[in-house]
Amino acid sequence: MTKKQIFMTSAFTENSIWRQILGICSALAVTNLMLNSLVMGLGVIFTLALSGFTISLLRNYIPKRIRMMVQTLIIASYVIIVDLVLKAYFPQISTALGPYVGLIITNCIIMGRAEAFAGKNPPLAAMIDGIGAGVGYTFVLLVISFVRELFGFGTLFGIPILGDWWTKWSIMVMAPSAFFMLAMLIWIVNTKSAKRG
Amino acid sequence: MVNKKTIFRETRAYPVVFMLLITIVFVGILAVLYQLTLHRVQTYRETQLKSMVLRTFDLPENDVEANFTKFISLREEADLTYYEATKDSVLLGFCFPISGSGLWSTIQALLAVTPDFKNIIDIEIVSQNETPGLGGRITESWFKAQFKGKLLVENHLIQQFTLIPENDQIKGFEINQITGATASSKAVVDMIYKNVLKYSKEMRAEL
Amino acid sequence: MELSAFIIFVAAIFTSNILLTNFLGMCSFLSVSREVQSSLGLGLAVFFVMTVTTALNYAVYYFILVPLDIVYLQYIIFIIVIAAFVQLTEMVVERFSPLLYYSLGIFLPLITVNCAILGVSLFMIIRNYTFLQAVAYGAGSGLGWLLAILALAGIRQRIKEKYVPAGLVGAGLSLITTGIMALAFVGFSGIVVIQ
């Protein structure tokens, strides 16, 4: 596969969220604000790219029995790097994302890509696949948070869009709305791809 | 050479050795990064705190270090730690670091009061981990602004504030709570009461 | 106001359900909830692991990480503790009850990457719980997760025979169902000292 093909597949055709239903946890948790989604997305892209690269580099040396533990260690290390960098250079965002940064580790997407792609492909391809998956993930997060932030707070990226006349939909701030938004997104995508069929 | 390597890779010891090696490498990298960023993180925290102290007294925050040294002095006595603010030789008031149990976490704040403990000057929430969008709203400016200049004392006694619904008119010792976040709002009010009571006694204020 | 361990326990099941309010543990939740039997099995396993690892991680954090000033490694250490404990449980179960192992065994590796388990340990630290509160929180969250997955499995089995628009089959419908459950659970927020 060409590099572009790898990217497009992992980002859109085989999108982690709407196609593989992975990485839902954080997709629901941080989508109350667009800024949080963007930062989370960037963190995931970073972790996916580097862990994919590293795991692919080591793929012929990792013993089968401890495969999962080694992958988890590598992924966790990159996540801690993200966490340390956020705490040092973007403290407010670090506080807002709270424990969800740490939860990138158990984000099924990362483990999923490591198992499905990085373990069997050369490093550069694995890195591109990782970036693609991350971009696809970020895209979904931004779409959901666009709706949630706009109707829940009247703002986008903190910039007020809807004036004071808008009664904020508290439900958008709370948990259930994320489930509904994601379900609708999946519905739209599935219906569209079925039509293209 | 190739044979030796393959045989080692299949021994029992290999996974253990591999795991150890890779753990050391990664933990090593992390330790280094942690040390490098440590200073920065600590400096940030200190600057944040100082800037918040200045904010409670409505003092300029632009040049935090300079202004802090100019207007604020840290007092550490027996078991009391607090900040004293002076401007143009006039004592503006005291700022106490206070904390209390919120619904989900410990809420930490800075409470500034007038030297006679009769009024609150301002309050700043330093850290909290309440429900985002609900209890987390205690950091919103409208909520904190309610405490600005609020009277604390009646009949020489510290009064406890009572909570009333968000959009109602407040009178006297009332505070508008956050809709859907009664517990967090109450936590803030209780925390203020307990600490003002404690500090006014320790500093022997004449109410 | 101090929260007693019991209140935290009840709140973790209903008003602050780790899955319906904090969105953790979704992946295995969505894939396994097709049948009530397997959901019960996974749910119980999660409950067990969650309770014990929360207690373990509490001890590790306060007796090892803090004194040695390596708190920033907590993610790695917690996950290793969880993975090790799951591995240990797997070995013990396989040794003493092959029957239980065959019905439960497949779920155990799945649990290691269940974000809910790591999440509970992380939240417990952030919220400064005492040991008793932490265990109550772990147990309550486990029960809450079990409750949610059982409910979803039951609903999915009922829906199987009904008409569903093509685009929604599977994940889409599960998410909407879960969303409605989440809404319903919001109604519980009156039970515990309200937030």
Side-chain angles (χ1 to χ4, degrees), chain A:
Chain A
M1 282 176 120
T2 67
K3 296 201 175 56
K4 179 153 189 238
Q5 278 176 312
I6 300 178
F7 179 85
M8 292 305 280
T9 315
S10 61
F12 298 109
T13 349
E14 287 293 310
N15 181 288
S16 311
I17 300 193
W18 70 58
R19 204 72 178 69
Q20 301 179 5
I21 321 290
L22 292 177
I24 310 280
C25 307
S26 44
L28 300 172
V30 300
T31 46
N32 55 344
L33 290 171
M34 287 194 84
L35 185 59
N36 291 353
S37 300
L38 185 62
V39 176
M40 185 59 144
L42 289 173
V44 169
I45 293 176
F46 175 82
T47 316
L48 270 169
L50 286 181
S51 63
F53 185 76
T54 316
I55 291 176
S56 171
L57 264 182
L58 296 170
R59 72 188 185 284
N60 292 320
Y61 298 97
I62 303 179
K64 280 205 175 39
R65 269 198 151 227
I66 55 170
R67 197 180 70 246
M68 285 227 137
M69 276 195 78
V70 173
Q71 286 171 346
T72 310
L73 178 71
I74 295 177
I75 295 171
S77 302
Y78 283 119
V79 172
I80 296 185
I81 293 178
V82 171
D83 187 46
L84 285 176
V85 168
L86 276 183
K87 276 206 176 83
Y89 294 97
F90 303 100
Q92 289 114 316
I93 300 185
S94 174
T95 332
L97 286 184
Y100 291 105
V101 171
L103 292 173
I104 297 179
I105 304 175
T106 47
N107 187 321
C108 335
I109 300 181
I110 310 196
M111 193 58 99
R113 293 329 287 164
E115 291 275 290
F117 201 91
K120 304 169 191 153
N121 287 282
L124 202 56
M127 190 186 233
I128 295 180
D129 171 83
I131 296 179
V135 168
Y137 167 83
T138 310
F139 175 69
V140 174
L141 253 60
L142 286 174
V143 168
I144 298 179
S145 58
F146 176 84
V147 178
R148 284 185 75 190
E149 185 176 354
L150 191 59
F151 293 141
F153 289 106
T155 61
L156 284 180
F157 278 110
I159 308 169
I161 304 277
L162 300 176
D164 280 332
W165 54 270
W166 176 259
T167 325
K168 306 193 173 113
W169 294 9
S170 318
I171 189 178
M172 285 291 170
V173 177
M174 295 179 353
S177 66
F179 288 106
F180 296 137
M181 290 296 118
L182 185 55
M184 274 194 250
L185 184 70
I186 295 182
W187 191 2
I188 296 174
V189 173
N190 280 347
T191 319
K192 271 200 171 167
S193 55
K195 279 205 193 119
R196 242 181 270 143

Side-chain angles (χ1 to χ4, degrees), chain C residues 38-137:
Chain C
S38 42
S39 301
L40 184 64
L42 182 60
L44 286 172
V46 166
F47 166 67
F48 175 62
V49 174
M50 211 180 254
T51 313
V52 179
T53 52
T54 309
L56 283 176
N57 280 328
Y58 179 92
V60 167
Y61 185 83
Y62 286 108
F63 295 127
I64 301 181
L65 295 186
V66 171
L68 291 179
D69 199 23
I70 44 173
V71 169
Y72 63 98
L73 287 179
Q74 68 180 356
Y75 298 139
I76 293 187
I77 306 287
F78 282 178
I79 272 246
I80 292 184
V81 168
I82 294 172
F85 179 73
V86 171
Q87 187 67 48
L88 195 69
T89 312
E90 204 178 335
M91 295 196 307
V92 167
V93 170
E94 188 178 9
R95 173 84 176 68
F96 289 105
S97 172
L99 207 65
L100 186 62
Y101 180 70
Y102 281 118
S103 54
L104 221 52
I106 28 158
F107 296 131
L108 291 173
L110 208 62
I111 292 180
T112 315
V113 285
N114 185 321
C115 26
I117 303 194
L118 180 64
V120 166
S121 291
L122 291 179
F123 279 135
M124 171 260 310
I125 298 290
I126 287 188
R127 295 176 188 172
N128 279 321
Y129 285 155
T130 63
F131 182 71
L132 212 57
Q133 288 175 321
V135 175
Y137 182 60

Side-chain angles (χ1 to χ4, degrees), chain B residues 50 53-54 56-57 59 67-77 80-97 110-117 121 203:
Chain B
K50 288 184 177 161
V53 174
L54 286 169
T56 55
F57 291 108
L59 292 166
N67 280 314
F68 190 82
T69 329
K70 182 170 168 197
F71 297 113
I72 312 281
S73 36
L74 175 66
R75 293 257 177 271
E76 288 174 300
E77 296 149 17
L80 266 180
T81 310
Y82 61 95
Y83 301 94
E84 225 176 57
T86 330
K87 187 179 181 185
D88 301 327
S89 314
V90 174
L91 178 63
L92 292 176
F94 307 117
C95 183
F96 300 98
L110 285 169
L111 182 69
V113 295
T114 50
D116 55 9
F117 276 86
I121 298 181
M203 299 195 47

Side-chain angles (χ1 to χ4, degrees), chain B residues 20-142:
Chain B
L20 266 168
L21 248 141
I22 211 175
T23 311
I24 294 175
V25 168
F26 276 95
V27 172
I29 297 177
L30 291 175
V32 168
L33 190 64
Y34 175 70
Q35 290 302 326
L36 285 177
T37 56
L38 194 59
H39 179 71
R40 207 193 156 91
V41 175
Q42 282 172 336
T43 320
Y44 174 77
R45 285 212 190 118
E46 279 165 20
T47 316
Q48 267 297 92
L49 191 66
K50 288 184 177 161
S51 133
M52 277 187 170
V53 174
L54 286 169
R55 200 178 308 160
T56 55
F57 291 108
D58 259 334
L59 292 166
E61 284 175 70
N62 46 344
D63 200 349
V64 180
E65 287 303 321
N67 280 314
F68 190 82
T69 329
K70 182 170 168 197
F71 297 113
I72 312 281
S73 36
L74 175 66
R75 293 257 177 271
E76 288 174 300
E77 296 149 17
D79 47 323
L80 266 180
T81 310
Y82 61 95
Y83 301 94
E84 225 176 57
T86 330
K87 187 179 181 185
D88 301 327
S89 314
V90 174
L91 178 63
L92 292 176
F94 307 117
C95 183
F96 300 98
I98 61 176
S99 66
S101 311
L103 185 65
W104 294 121
S105 61
T106 311
I107 303 176
Q108 286 175 338
L110 285 169
L111 182 69
V113 295
T114 50
D116 55 9
F117 276 86
K118 291 223 169 78
N119 294 77
I120 297 181
I121 298 181
D122 202 354
I123 186 171
E124 273 299 325
I125 308 286
V126 174
S127 79
Q128 55 87 20
N129 247 299
E130 305 294 275
T131 317
L134 290 173
R137 295 181 63 202
I138 53 174
T139 52
E140 282 175 17
S141 9
W142 70 269

